[in-house]
Structure formats: structure tokens, C-alpha cells
Amino acid sequence: MLQPILFALLLLAAFGLFAWQIQKIRANILVGRTRDMSGHLGERLNKTLLVAFGQQKMFKRITPALLHLVVYVGFLVINIEVVEIIIDGLFGTHRFLSFLGPVYDALMAVNEVLAALVIIAVAAFWWRRNRNPPVRRFTGPELRMWPKLDANIILYIEVALMIALFFMNSADIQLHQLEGKDLPGVFPVSYFLADLLPASNVGTLHMLERTGWWIHITGILLFLNYLPSSKHFHIIMAFPNVWYSRLVPQGQFSNVESITHEVKAMMDPSYEVPVPAVAADGSALAPTPFGAKDVEDLPWTALMNSYSCTECGRCTSVCPANLTGKLLSPRKIIMDTRDRVEEKYNSPLIFHPNVYGEEAKHQPITDLANATLLRGKVTPEELWACTTCNACVESCPVNINPLESIIEMRRFLVLEESAAPNSLNVMFSNIENNGAPWAFSPSDRLNWADDLYVAERATV
Ligand code: SF4
Ligand code: SF4
């Protein structure tokens, strides 16, 4: 009786803590600008099935795609066993789902094979991350400190969970053999491992089986509460993030609404500019800034992007600016956004950017209240290195759009601070004065035709 009560309390604490962390992250995402993402249900469902469930974009690189597929399918199938563990823990049953007969046999067999493959895949991931020289996309200043540690912690936890699973099954097999009973299920890996267990009496084996059981489920619940502090949170956020993907063509930029109204009014004097919204008490709302200086100026989808990033570096590895040695890394822009929103609003249970973040170690933030995403974390030099090629957007396996945040911050620099690079300022004045980006008067625009005419006459 004591075990179900203890287990129920553990479950309650773990899911309660997880819900509390999720609520904080939801609040962080909602500090972003509102954006209507309703409609297009069919298209969104299609994208979610292909990109999130089907891992479509992962298969552009076959080796990591196959390794990731093993871990992903393992995660899905092993979760079925977790359901059984929870039922057993709450109601004091043992292997509750065994009534499924042959289905249970198949389920347990697949489960064990996948668990073994997960250990192999995780070992390969660890080697790819930590080998010398490292894979290029796992390097970069943004991957020092916590992100590097986090990537390895996740791998260690995954291996520990699989070992606990084998330990539990092996002890159960030997226990049943000793008692002369049949253990429901087929366990292709644990049958071999059972012989390695040193114990040979029922009491010890029972204790070993329970130890494996408790380590496995407690580890899963700890892992659940570690997720919000980790890049591994993408296993949850990838699905809503892909659902709310941008559906317009990639090269299409959004317009600034207020400027659109102004231009329309200039072109058509009868155009009625919408009356600005007022606050509930009737007072005028503060004008929305042009572009983004801090996280509240970005749309909420951009903040959700930052919680969905796997820190895989596919975006940075195809970014022409990064490849040619510029400071820009689209992965860093996304990671900076998440760090900034957690620094300013709610941070999850374990990770806090001010304690573990890059700045905390190298460049402590002294003025938190006045720090902003732009300049506080992302420099204009990074932003102006972007060629707006969309390669990062195209390559992201979970449909994150780093370019949108880059454009928004550039807009702020240009429209609020007039802080564009000199070459752009020259172009802006040319457009204003000459109606074209070049430094020639509109009256000279057809000179080339005269020159051509003269040249042709000369050759006749
Ligand atoms: S859009 Fe900008 S950040 Fe993205 S890959 Fe191209 S240059 Fe790099
Ligand atoms: S933005 Fe996408 S491609 Fe870039 S690191 Fe994050 S998940 Fe990977």
C-alpha cells in the first residue's frame, strides 16, 4: 500500500512542477507581439505531419537523420511502457498491459530492440559532439558553457534510462525463472543480460527489479522537469512550432502596417487611415515601435521559435555570412532570443541565463533593466551581415525562421535609430532624391540611350 501512495505523490509533484514550468514558458512566449495565425488548417496539418511527425527535413543529411529516427521512434514506443509503469505504480499491479497477449509480446520485443539501438545512436551522437576535431556545426561561441553541457547531459540521461529499463527487465526475468513462473512479454536483450545478474535468491532479485523500476520512472520524471531548461524541449515544442509555420513564400517580407497605411494615403488621398486603437480607459496607446529592439517587439511566433530550437546548427552551417567568416550565426540569434526572454521574464527551474549563460561568465550584465536583445545580445554587425538568402529558414528541421527576427531588428535600427550602415544611408537618400538607388538625377536616366544612339551612328 505504501508504494502506490509514494508513487502517486511522486507523480503529482513531477507533473505539478512540469505544469508550473510550462505555464512560465507560455507566459514568456505571450510577451511577444500579437499575430493572427488562425485558418489554413489543412495546410498546417499537412506540414505538421510531414515536418514534425515525419521528420521530412532531417533527411537532407542521412546519417544524423537515421540516428535521430532511432531515438525519436524509441522515445515514442518506450512511452507506451511508461504508461504501463504508471498504471502499475498507481494500482499495485505488475505488467498491467500483459493482458494484450501477443501484442504485448511484440511491444516488449520492439521496445527492447529500440532501447538497445537508442544506446548505440546516443553513443554515436556523443562521439560526433565530442570528437576532436569536432563536427563544424557543433562548434561556435554560442555552444560554449551551458549548451555544450546540456547536450551531453541529455545523452547521459538517455543512456541511464535505457540501462535502468534493461536492469528492471533482466531482474524480472530471473525472478520469474527462480519462482518457476512465465514472465509475460518477449525480451530479446534482457534474456541475455539476466544471466549476468549476480543475485540468486527471490528477495534480492525482487529488490533489484524494484530498484530498476524506480530508477527508470524517477529518471523519466526528472527528465520531464529538466526539459524546459534544455534544448531537448524541442521534443514538445517542435509540434506547435511547425503547426504555426509561416505559410507565405519564403522571400516575401511582411510590411509595417502603419507605413503601409501612410503609403496608401499618399497614393490615394481618399484612402482612410484606420483610427489607432485606444486603451480600455480611453487613453491613447503608446505607439508600436518600428521593428524590434527587445523580445516584446517580436511576434509571439518568433519567441516560440526560440523554445523549439534544437541547437543543431544546420542553419549556421549553410549561412553564407557565417561560412565567409562573418560574425553572424542564425542559431545564435535564436538562442539569444530565448536567453533574453528568460533573463527578463521567467526562467525555468534549472537553467538561468544570468547564472549559466555566456554573459554570466565572460561579460556580466550590470544593467538588467536597460539591457535589450538588440545590442545587449545581438550586435548590429551580426544583423547587417545577413544576405536575406533564407538558407537558414530552408534548412531548419523544425521550421524556425531566424531571418524574421533579423529583419525586425534591422528595421528598428533603420526606422527608429537611423543607424543603417553608410552605404545603405546613401542608397536611401538617392531613392528619396532621385527616385532610384543610384546617385544620378532622374533627368539623366535616359542618357544611356543617347550614348547608344551616338555609338551606333559612329559605326554605320
Ligand atoms: S538569411 Fe541571413 S542568417 Fe539566414 S542563412 Fe541567409 S545570410 Fe544567414
Ligand atoms: S534554428 Fe533550426 S536549424 Fe538552426 S539550430 Fe535551431 S533548430 Fe537547428
Side-chain angles (χ1 to χ4, degrees):
M1 192 58 205
L2 183 64
Q3 178 174 307
I5 293 173
L6 277 179
F7 186 72
L9 289 175
L10 178 71
L11 269 191
L12 208 63
F15 281 108
L17 201 55
F18 183 65
W20 176 69
Q21 295 199 76
I22 292 293
Q23 178 272 327
K24 285 189 184 213
I25 288 171
R26 182 174 177 274
N28 280 1
I29 292 174
L30 293 181
V31 303
R33 258 189 1 235
T34 51
R35 167 178 277 179
D36 183 13
M37 298 296 281
S38 56
H40 305 281
L41 294 187
E43 205 178 340
R44 292 197 184 285
L45 183 64
N46 193 27
K47 260 195 195 304
T48 308
L49 290 176
L50 280 175
V51 178
F53 285 99
Q55 312 262 295
Q56 185 194 40
K57 289 170 101 179
M58 289 291 292
F59 280 87
K60 288 179 183 164
R61 299 177 191 220
I62 197 73
T63 309
L66 290 175
L67 293 172
H68 190 268
L69 187 69
V70 166
V71 178
Y72 169 64
V73 177
F75 166 73
L76 293 181
V77 175
I78 288 166
N79 269 338
I80 300 174
E81 197 183 13
V82 173
V83 172
E84 182 184 53
I85 290 181
I86 290 180
I87 296 172
D88 285 349
L90 285 176
F91 301 104
T93 52
H94 188 66
R95 298 199 179 264
F96 174 80
L97 294 181
S98 59
F99 72 86
L100 295 172
V103 176
Y104 187 75
D105 291 348
L107 201 61
M108 289 300 111
V110 171
N111 211 3
E112 287 237 321
V113 172
L114 277 172
L117 288 176
V118 165
I119 293 180
I120 295 169
V122 164
F125 277 139
W126 186 90
W127 179 76
R128 282 167 62 81
R129 278 204 171 262
N130 296 285
R131 71 176 207 190
N132 202 3
V135 176
R136 187 180 178 274
R137 72 185 165 92
F138 298 135
T139 60
E142 69 272 23
L143 280 199
R144 291 200 300 254
M145 309 296 300
W146 175 256
K148 184 170 171 56
L149 180 65
D150 171 46
N152 283 328
I153 288 177
I154 288 290
L155 298 178
Y156 300 141
I157 295 179
E158 280 172 359
V159 170
L161 289 178
M162 296 306 110
I163 290 175
L165 178 76
F166 285 132
F167 191 69
M168 173 183 88
N169 287 344
S170 307
D172 212 10
I173 289 166
Q174 231 196 57
L175 182 63
H176 278 71
Q177 280 171 353
L178 210 65
E179 288 177 334
K181 295 180 193 161
D182 275 341
L183 177 64
V186 172
F187 304 92
V189 180
S190 296
Y191 267 113
F192 289 103
L193 298 177
D195 293 336
L196 303 177
L197 286 180
S200 58
N201 70 68
V202 171
T204 313
L205 281 170
H206 185 70
M207 190 201 64
L208 287 180
E209 189 271 338
R210 285 294 86 189
T211 306
W213 188 92
W214 275 102
I215 292 177
H216 187 56
I217 189 63
T218 311
I220 287 172
L221 296 175
L222 287 174
F223 183 64
L224 184 72
N225 277 290
Y226 175 75
L227 283 182
S229 296
S230 164
K231 78 187 184 85
H232 232 60
F233 198 45
H234 76 266
I235 63 175
I236 295 171
M237 292 305 291
F239 299 94
N241 196 66
V242 173
W243 176 269
Y244 287 114
S245 296
R246 201 166 173 263
L247 299 178
V248 294
Q250 274 176 9
Q252 183 176 323
F253 289 114
S254 61
N255 286 329
V256 180
E257 213 181 320
S258 52
I259 296 182
T260 307
H261 292 314
E262 262 183 52
V263 173
K264 282 185 178 168
M266 267 163 52
M267 309 291 280
D268 173 10
S270 65
Y271 180 77
E272 283 185 24
V273 177
V275 182
V278 290
D281 61 1
S283 60
L285 286 173
T288 319
F290 295 120
K293 184 181 188 187
D294 211 347
V295 282
E296 311 80 14
D297 307 327
L298 290 169
W300 65 268
T301 46
L303 302 185
M304 185 165 71
N305 278 184
S306 75
Y307 277 99
S308 314
C309 180
T310 72
E311 296 171 17
C312 66
R314 283 173 172 78
C315 53
T316 298
S317 72
V318 294
C319 171
N322 189 275
L323 287 171
T324 49
K326 314 280 190 315
L327 210 53
L328 174 64
S329 160
R331 169 174 57 192
K332 176 180 173 291
I333 304 281
I334 297 296
M335 291 170 70
D336 282 346
T337 306
R338 177 173 172 167
D339 281 359
R340 173 63 189 153
V341 75
E342 293 190 339
E343 166 189 292
K344 190 167 182 183
Y345 295 96
N346 305 300
S347 57
L349 196 61
I350 299 167
F351 173 75
H352 193 292
N354 293 339
V355 180
Y356 300 108
E358 198 63 18
E359 287 82 358
K361 303 289 173 191
H362 301 289
Q363 188 189 336
I365 297 173
T366 47
D367 186 7
L368 258 186
N370 292 319
T372 53
L373 177 63
L374 176 61
R375 293 211 170 84
K377 292 193 181 293
V378 179
T379 61
E381 187 184 347
E382 290 167 72
L383 298 174
W384 292 116
C386 177
T387 65
T388 66
C389 67
N390 264 301
C392 52
V393 183
E394 177 60 32
S395 67
C396 180
V398 289
N399 282 2
I400 287 172
N401 188 341
L403 178 57
E404 180 175 41
S405 302
I406 293 173
I407 292 294
E408 288 294 338
M409 283 185 270
R410 276 190 188 179
R411 273 183 178 156
F412 187 89
L413 287 171
V414 173
L415 296 171
E416 295 278 350
E417 295 188 343
S418 302
N422 194 40
S423 51
L424 281 185
N425 280 333
V426 170
M427 184 194 75
F428 292 148
S429 348
N430 286 338
I431 290 177
E432 204 173 333
N433 298 327
N434 305 330
W438 300 284
F440 306 112
S441 157
S443 57
D444 292 337
R445 200 169 287 172
L446 284 176
N447 285 358
W448 63 273
D450 293 341
D451 293 348
L452 193 65
Y453 177 73
V454 171
E456 273 180 0
R457 294 276 300 178
T459 53
V460 170

